[in-house]
Amino acid sequence: EAITIQELANRMAERSVDVIKLLMKQGQMLKINDVIDADTAELIAEEMGHTVKRVSEADVEEGLFSTEDDPSTMEARPPVVTIMGHVDHGKTSLLDAVRKAKVATGEAGGITQHIGAYQVEQDGNKITFIDTPGHAAFSQMRARGAKSTDIVILVVAADDGVMPQTKEAIAHAKAADVPIIVAINKMDKPGADPNRVRTELLSEELVTESMGGDVIDVEVSAKSGQNLDKLLEMILLQSEVLELQANPDRTAEGIVIEAQLDRGRGPVATVLVQKGTLKPGDILVAGSEWGRVRAMLDENGKQVSEAGPAKPVEVLGFQGTPAAGDMVAVVENEARAREITDYRQRQIREKASVVASGTRGSLEQMMNRLQETGRKEFPLVLKADVQGSAEAIAQALNELGTDEVGARILLSGVGGITESDITLAAASKAPILGFNVRANKQAREAAQRDGIEIRYYNVIYDLVDDIKAAMSGLLSPER
Ligand code: GDP
């Protein structure tokens, strides 16, 4: 655990310059944006007459996401399916076709709404489809630690075969360890060649059953509706193999599939329940937001009084808008919900301040120094190939300083120049110096966009000489 000097000062409502002075007395020469560890922060806080209460993540999050449920409480639950595949191979058409074929039946007067996921019934068994096709959302959720999907339907157009995004989708599904069912789509088209698709899939190490492997494939047409039932049956078959289970009789846990701020209704989030049963009146936290469930609506816009495992519902009643991929948990009361979300919001702020500290720190410090001493700062971002060079350059640059002007190294890092270096530099209008390193493509583009100069060197002397010349331009004109 660590904190920037700025954030520590903020929390104590003290001036950061006083914190810096105190650290200096203890022999630590640090800047406003530098990060200190929790022990140091505690010492400083106590010395400044504050009482310290350390709140750890473990304290706050304790018991929030329960561990395994007792096996005797587990019941079979519906599978959650995501459709992936190359653009134009029919992901959206397939989602629409399945929904039209299944949801409409018997739902008199129901108006289907896009809430981010929907459920269909096949032979009395439910299947949940995530309504956002593609692997971007899927992996975004995964990056946040959430597992949203049990089965991936890989759509491959029979007249087009395996394409770049097909391969990407396979890679994402495999990385997430989620089984794949192949839907060979557009079988109604004259050029359809399903065997070519199966052969091409071999090079992606997806061996379908007819090729002697165990990957299920179904020839379908989203247009004619051919084999949609069979596809659903295969999903159910695969889910039986997976033995998907959850305990419905407990407080709910789940994941946010979609969320937005609705003009009339306030924050609206589609929650996919994964464990337990969600009910109106429940108090839940999702990421750094919380709310009390005011109403739950299904994909037909109908109010529902409970949502069990694998059921997606639109939840009304959040105080703020959570983010897709946020994990959801029901907590015992409002105070607990506030405690958790306050803590998480603070964490987010701190992280942002550590990341952006170069910005705020340098600007604030630059202004402070200018006022206090009349001394001018020359901000720089330094990236070098090895730590030794970075240190040698930083030292040489610091020695260049006079009473009137000095180098201010916002960041002295090791490795290639990245986009985040540019962001840092841009906020302080600082040039970037690369010593035996280059900028990657995104960084070069960002630098061009933000008007940030990147200078490359491979001789320390040249670098120092250039900065010396630039700094002399900053010297106050003779009065
Ligand atoms: P996505 O980009 O993967 O979501 O693909 P879309 O669902 O938007 O479909 C791309 C195009 O292929 C559209 O013009 C669809 O009408 C068409 N399409 C999708 N499925 C089929 C199908 O089974 N047969 C035929 N003939 N066309 C299809």
Side-chain angles (χ1 to χ4, degrees), residues 108 241 408:
V241 174
R408 169 161 159 63

Side-chain angles (χ1 to χ4, degrees), residues 16 38 47 58 82 117 161 246 277 282 328 355 445:
S16 42
E47 203 139 322
T82 295
T277 297
D282 280 349
V328 178
V355 172
E445 286 168 358

Side-chain angles (χ1 to χ4, degrees), residues 3-290:
I3 185 170
T4 60
I5 288 170
Q6 164 102 73
E7 175 70 20
L8 177 65
N10 284 354
R11 279 215 223 156
M12 298 187 298
E14 298 277 1
R15 295 196 314 162
S16 42
V17 64
D18 294 333
V19 177
I20 291 171
K21 276 183 191 155
L22 209 75
L23 282 160
M24 212 184 287
K25 263 193 220 154
Q26 303 179 346
Q28 292 207 64
M29 299 290 285
L30 294 172
K31 296 184 247 51
I32 189 165
N33 55 312
D34 285 334
V35 174
I36 54 176
D37 62 35
D39 290 334
T40 310
E42 186 165 342
L43 275 174
I44 293 293
E46 276 168 358
E47 203 139 322
M48 295 182 95
H50 296 269
T51 40
V52 176
K53 185 179 159 222
R54 278 210 219 174
V55 184
S56 77
E57 181 158 344
D59 293 339
V60 174
E61 310 266 332
E62 165 111 61
L64 188 53
F65 289 100
S66 61
T67 43
E68 295 300 289
D69 285 283
D70 191 89
S72 65
T73 64
M74 301 293 266
E75 290 176 22
R77 66 159 175 87
V80 180
V81 177
T82 295
I83 298 190
M84 294 192 199
H86 194 70
V87 64
D88 279 348
H89 280 198
K91 298 181 292 292
T92 313
S93 305
L94 204 56
L95 274 167
D96 289 348
V98 167
R99 168 187 219 145
K100 240 187 242 134
K102 295 290 162 182
V103 176
T105 47
E107 294 285 352
I111 305 160
T112 51
Q113 325 241 342
H114 174 95
I115 66 165
Y118 65 81
Q119 260 187 346
V120 297
E121 220 173 279
Q122 176 73 13
D123 307 329
N125 297 298
K126 292 195 165 81
I127 301 172
T128 305
F129 281 86
I130 303 282
D131 213 354
T132 317
H135 53 254
F138 172 85
S139 285
Q140 220 175 341
M141 289 200 191
R142 209 163 72 79
R144 293 162 145 263
K147 192 184 177 200
S148 57
T149 299
D150 303 306
I151 297 167
V152 164
I153 306 296
L154 180 70
V155 178
V156 189
D159 62 338
D160 202 24
V162 171
M163 298 304 279
Q165 286 170 290
T166 318
K167 295 180 186 176
E168 274 177 43
I170 295 169
H172 283 259
K174 283 192 171 170
D177 217 5
V178 175
I180 294 172
I181 294 177
V182 180
I184 305 177
N185 190 34
K186 307 201 186 184
M187 283 303 292
D188 60 288
K189 281 197 151 184
D193 185 354
N195 278 328
R196 190 183 121 210
V197 172
R198 292 187 186 97
T199 308
E200 288 175 353
L201 286 172
L202 286 177
S203 352
E204 307 308 312
E205 280 155 39
L206 271 194
V207 189
T208 54
E209 286 175 329
S210 60
M211 293 286 190
D214 54 9
V215 175
I216 300 171
D217 67 276
V218 188
E219 296 177 5
V220 300
S221 165
K223 194 177 177 190
S224 74
Q226 176 192 334
N227 274 347
L228 291 188
D229 278 322
K230 190 171 172 206
L231 178 64
L232 298 180
E233 279 160 23
M234 289 304 146
I235 292 170
L236 290 173
L237 189 72
Q238 178 76 62
S239 83
E240 254 172 56
V241 174
L242 294 172
E243 293 184 33
L244 302 171
Q245 291 184 321
N247 173 9
D249 299 316
R250 44 159 290 164
T251 52
E253 283 177 18
I255 178 180
V256 174
I257 299 289
E258 266 187 21
Q260 71 269 338
L261 187 60
D262 188 283
R263 271 197 183 187
R265 301 184 296 168
V268 178
T270 296
V271 173
L272 174 68
V273 178
Q274 294 179 308
K275 293 176 175 180
T277 297
L278 190 66
K279 300 182 193 82
D282 280 349
I283 292 167
L284 36 72
V285 295
S288 53
E289 300 296 342
W290 72 278

